[in-house]
Amino acid sequence: MDESMGEKRRHPLSREAIQNGFVSELIARSGTSLRVLSDEERRRSLDATLAAQPTQGDDVWLFAYGSLIWNPAFHYIERQPVLIRGWHRQFCLSTPIGRGTPARPGLVLGLDRGGACKGVAFRIDCAEAKAELELVWRREMVTGAYVPRWVRLHGPGLIHDTPGIAFTINRAAPNYVRPVSEDATAQVIATACGALGSCRDYLFDTIHGLEGFEIQDRHLNRVARLVSEYRDRATDSPPQASGELPMTGPGTG
């Protein structure tokens, strides 16, 4: 679909970078005044999530639907394609930092209510779960734009209704963006770029990561085609903001 899908780039959001506070530094350098969760708030969120595990003492499954698929940056025992119900993958989170700038914010994925979503489940050893998930929380729970919750994973290699953690979108977050047209979404993705790279790369890396598990997302594929068409049109005239998306707030992706 796009040449960039065949390239393997070293992502700046590595395990070591997260451990060394890269995300916090990224926000501090951005020049934006963002409400960032404290270490204590993140710790309480993680503790509460683990305490709510339906099967205490078991290994922990983590559901990935975006960048965690192709850049997990945490240790895991196994991974496999799964389906969850009641949530769908959507470009509904504005990001003025990781995949955009305050002047031209980008969009990254969240799990919004309704429908179903195919993604990848990672199994983390119970003895290492808290330490590994602390890294994930530092990466995903930066501002509270996501709500971690237990969902049911469905897959041929799993026991029926295996529980797993998923980061669902917080609709009350200031950077939550209600779904608009795929064309408007594509215009943002085609032009936004930040310290972690372009939104375009984020989109194609996610499609490529899903295809590695034989998962097709028709919505993402349609947006990708529109992104390519928009970039082709932009070679003849300067890009213009669509004005349809209220882009404010944080996100990394």
Side-chain angles (χ1 to χ4, degrees):
M1 185 174 295
D2 190 280
E3 292 181 1
S4 66
M5 291 178 62
E7 302 172 1
K8 181 63 176 178
R9 295 173 295 276
R10 186 180 185 279
H11 199 281
L13 203 60
S14 66
R15 179 182 180 87
E16 293 74 18
I18 297 170
Q19 289 173 324
N20 293 332
F22 174 77
V23 175
S24 297
E25 293 176 6
L26 193 66
I27 294 172
R29 294 197 305 266
S30 70
T32 60
S33 55
L34 302 175
R35 163 59 170 108
V36 178
L37 296 185
S38 67
D39 290 342
E40 179 59 28
E41 287 174 310
R42 283 198 303 272
R43 190 158 38 245
R44 287 200 303 267
S45 170
L46 174 56
D47 288 345
T49 302
L50 290 175
Q53 183 180 8
T55 52
Q56 289 289 321
D58 286 358
D59 293 341
V60 175
W61 288 89
L62 179 65
F63 180 72
Y65 54 88
S67 63
L68 286 174
I69 295 174
W70 42 268
N71 181 42
F74 59 86
H75 294 153
Y76 57 90
I77 300 172
E78 65 170 304
R79 58 183 180 175
Q80 60 177 281
V82 299
L83 170 76
I84 67 170
R85 296 189 175 95
W87 303 90
H88 67 281
R89 185 173 22 240
Q90 183 69 249
F91 277 102
C92 58
L93 184 63
S94 170
T95 170
I97 300 174
R99 296 286 176 169
T101 65
R104 188 181 290 274
L107 281 170
V108 292
L109 292 163
L111 282 178
D112 212 345
R113 289 191 176 277
C117 181
K118 290 182 178 179
V120 179
F122 293 82
R123 180 163 67 93
I124 305 172
D125 187 287
C126 62
E128 305 294 332
K130 185 168 184 178
E132 294 305 312
L133 288 173
E134 281 179 353
L135 287 176
V136 179
W137 252 249
R138 285 190 192 184
R139 168 179 172 169
E140 302 297 329
M141 295 297 291
V142 181
T143 61
Y146 294 119
V147 178
R149 68 177 75 237
W150 291 93
V151 297
R152 297 293 178 177
L153 308 175
H154 305 275
L158 294 176
I159 299 173
H160 182 65
D161 285 350
T162 295
I165 298 171
F167 289 98
T168 63
I169 198 67
N170 178 6
R171 285 190 171 187
N175 51 325
Y176 170 67
V177 177
R178 293 191 178 279
V180 292
S181 70
E182 290 180 343
D183 185 67
T185 298
Q187 288 187 37
V188 173
I189 293 172
T191 57
C193 186
L196 297 181
S198 69
C199 273
R200 177 172 171 267
D201 285 345
Y202 173 88
L203 168 63
F204 285 108
D205 284 342
T206 299
I207 293 174
H208 183 65
L210 289 167
E211 288 180 341
F213 291 88
E214 300 183 348
I215 298 172
Q216 293 289 330
D217 187 307
R218 287 179 290 181
H219 168 62
L220 294 190
N221 289 339
R222 288 193 300 268
V223 172
R225 284 192 291 271
L226 289 168
V227 167
S228 296
E229 292 171 6
Y230 183 82
R231 288 173 65 86
D232 289 341
R233 294 196 303 269
T235 59
D236 299 322
S237 60
Q240 296 181 2
S242 67
E244 294 186 50
L245 297 177
M247 299 300 178
T248 59
T252 54

